[in-house]
Amino acid sequence: MKGATKILLVFIIVVVVVLVGYALFQSQTEAPTINYGAPTTEPAATPPEPTPPTPPSTMPTPKTETVNYNGQGFSPQTVTIKKGDSVTFANQSSKEMWPASALHPTHKVYPTTGGCIGSTFDACAGIKPGESWSFALDINGSWKYHDHLNPTAFGTIVVE
Ligand SMILES: [Cu+2]
């Protein structure tokens, strides 16, 4: 081995040793620093608001079925829903519609009180073209309804 090669080899070894030593030194100094700061006199920050527990996923979510009104009748003629679900009556005609429980004109078939005529299943007003009216049914049964402004248009909601 020539003298120059030997010197080069020694130089490389020295460089490697210095680099390894430096790396070890760095890894030691990167240890987590402990904060010995003076104790704060300010009150502790308010803890974050506890998030309310989410309701159990087993609870059924009320659904909405849509019934369209075209001026001649309701479509679909019969919808079947679960108790508590809603039916949205969408007026796609050019006239007002007024969905309400059978039987015209007393509207008393759906057995609730407190509505404007005979039950709460009653829009109680004409629904304008393009608008809709929703009603949640929570009584099991087969409930007929009609358009109070055009009583020949009717349909059925089955609540299971
Ligand atoms: Cu009516």
Side-chain angles (χ1 to χ4, degrees), residues 76-93:
Q77 271 285 291
T78 302
V79 291
T80 301
I81 62 170
K82 296 264 181 270
K83 193 174 171 177
D85 288 354
S86 294
V87 174
T88 294
F89 299 90
N91 188 359
Q92 298 183 338
S93 77

Side-chain angles (χ1 to χ4, degrees), residues 112-122 124:
T112 57
T113 56
C116 51
I117 297 177
S119 81
T120 54
F121 184 6
D122 196 320
C124 294

Side-chain angles (χ1 to χ4, degrees), residues 16-129:
V16 166
V17 166
V18 165
L19 283 177
V20 168
Y22 181 74
L24 285 173
F25 177 76
Q26 283 293 92
S27 68
Q28 280 173 3
T29 54
E30 277 172 11
T33 52
I34 299 157
N35 185 8
Y36 295 109
T40 173
T41 51
E42 287 183 20
T46 47
E49 291 282 322
T51 47
T54 48
S57 56
T58 52
M59 273 179 66
T61 318
K63 293 194 178 82
T64 299
E65 289 288 338
T66 299
V67 172
N68 295 310
Y69 180 69
N70 65 3
Q72 269 80 51
F74 293 96
S75 174
Q77 271 285 291
T78 302
V79 291
T80 301
I81 62 170
K82 296 264 181 270
K83 193 174 171 177
D85 288 354
S86 294
V87 174
T88 294
F89 299 90
N91 188 359
Q92 298 183 338
S93 77
S94 54
K95 305 176 287 188
E96 288 193 347
M97 68 160 189
W98 181 325
S101 166
L103 206 56
H104 186 71
T106 56
H107 302 181
K108 279 185 175 170
V109 169
Y110 192 70
T112 57
T113 56
C116 51
I117 297 177
S119 81
T120 54
F121 184 6
D122 196 320
C124 294
I127 307 300
K128 290 186 171 64

